Amino acid sequence: AQSVTQPDIHITVSEGASLELRCNYSYGATPYLFWYVQSPGQGLQLLLKYFSGDTLVQGIKGFEAEFKRSQSSFNLRKPSVHWSDAAEYFCAVGYSGGYQKVTFGTGTKLQVIP
Amino acid sequence: NAGVTQTPKFQVLKTGQSMTLQCAQDMNHEYMSWYRQDPGMGLRLIHYSVGAGITDQGEVPNGYNVSRSTTEDFPLRLLSAAPSQTSVYFCATKPRRHQETQYFGPGTRLLVL
């Protein structure tokens, strides 16, 4: 069965600092990978996704993620964090044909300090 | 184009009461689903539908019923609410069953006393 691990429950960074949120997945074949962001009291918004091809994926709001098959990872990065990036971030994994089986990680809550 | 709408935004129930959480979409999406979000557990799939008249169970279906009589609506019913169903519920849709990108509604926060 597929699974997703986000090892960091909570991360605090200073505004302007770089950010990396970790995501590890477990799945036998090539997965579909996603990062979503959830602002307080809101639904989830898709930041970026990886289906195939270039392993470095660009998303909205200046985020990017890199798929590393050898490490089963799909870490999210941003070179310079803004206060408005404070939110909860979810990594998710799905697979071709398994349209009902998108598994979400438990989330990483990002705090940004001035 | 309203996207995915959910009503109510917040509801308080007593144990044993029933209620229906509404989800509607105006994007003509084939696939609709319900998730619950609990602290430290991420999102878990309750039920999903791949088209009108077709529904199936997800990861945590017990205590919930669904039906899909139209493309636009996918209500989630709690027949006898329990405190364990206190959660935030999200409806999500996608255009086709084999497309993976989902669009989420704003959520319904449910408290069962």
Side-chain angles (χ1 to χ4, degrees), chain A residues 42-44, chain B residues 4-6 23 89-93 103-107:
Chain A
Q42 303 296 314
L44 278 72
Chain B
V4 183
T5 59
Q6 291 184 239
C23 175
Y89 292 85
F90 289 99
C91 180
T93 75
Y103 299 83
F104 284 82

Side-chain angles (χ1 to χ4, degrees), chain A residues 8 11-13 17 22 24 30 34-35 38 45 47 63 77 80 85 91 93-94 97 99 103-104 106 109:
Chain A
D8 303 305
I11 282 183
T12 300
V13 299
R22 296 183 290 165
N24 292 95
T30 299
F34 308 85
W35 275 100
Q38 183 182 32
Q45 180 184 20
L47 281 176
F63 285 92
R77 300 193 294 249
S80 178
D85 294 324
C91 182
V93 61
Y99 47 85
T103 301
F104 285 82
T106 53
K109 190 163 290 188

Side-chain angles (χ1 to χ4, degrees), chain B residues 14-52:
Chain B
K14 294 180 179 178
T15 297
Q17 286 185 315
S18 63
M19 81 159 294
T20 299
L21 280 64
Q22 301 291 345
C23 175
Q25 52 102 356
D26 60 0
M27 300 177 285
N28 200 33
H29 283 183
E30 185 176 281
Y31 176 95
M32 298 183 74
S33 59
W34 278 101
Y35 290 86
R36 61 177 289 172
Q37 183 181 30
D38 302 292
M41 303 191 72
L43 278 78
R44 293 180 291 168
L45 182 66
I46 304 171
H47 286 285
Y48 66 95
S49 168
V50 299

Side-chain angles (χ1 to χ4, degrees), chain A residues 22-87:
Chain A
R22 296 183 290 165
C23 173
N24 292 95
Y25 68 91
S26 173
Y27 178 63
T30 299
Y32 291 176
L33 294 160
F34 308 85
W35 275 100
Y36 285 88
V37 60
Q38 183 182 32
S39 298
Q42 303 296 314
L44 278 72
Q45 180 184 20
L46 181 68
L47 281 176
L48 48 79
K49 61 189 178 186
Y50 171 80
F51 286 177
S52 64
D54 193 346
T55 57
L56 184 62
V57 179
Q58 301 297 321
I60 63 172
K61 304 185 180 187
F63 285 92
E64 66 177 26
E66 186 171 12
F67 171 56
K68 293 185 177 180
R69 185 189 301 276
S70 61
Q71 299 177 19
S72 297
S73 69
F74 189 58
N75 294 349
L76 182 71
R77 300 193 294 249
K78 187 169 185 178
S80 178
V81 170
H82 189 262
W83 64 266
S84 60
D85 294 324

Side-chain angles (χ1 to χ4, degrees), chain B residues 91-112:
Chain B
C91 180
T93 75
K94 50 188 178 181
R96 298 288 182 268
R97 62 182 68 188
H98 291 297
Q99 184 185 34
E100 296 297 336
T101 302
Q102 298 190 81
Y103 299 83
F104 284 82
T108 293
R109 188 173 296 272
L110 177 66
L111 174 63
V112 183

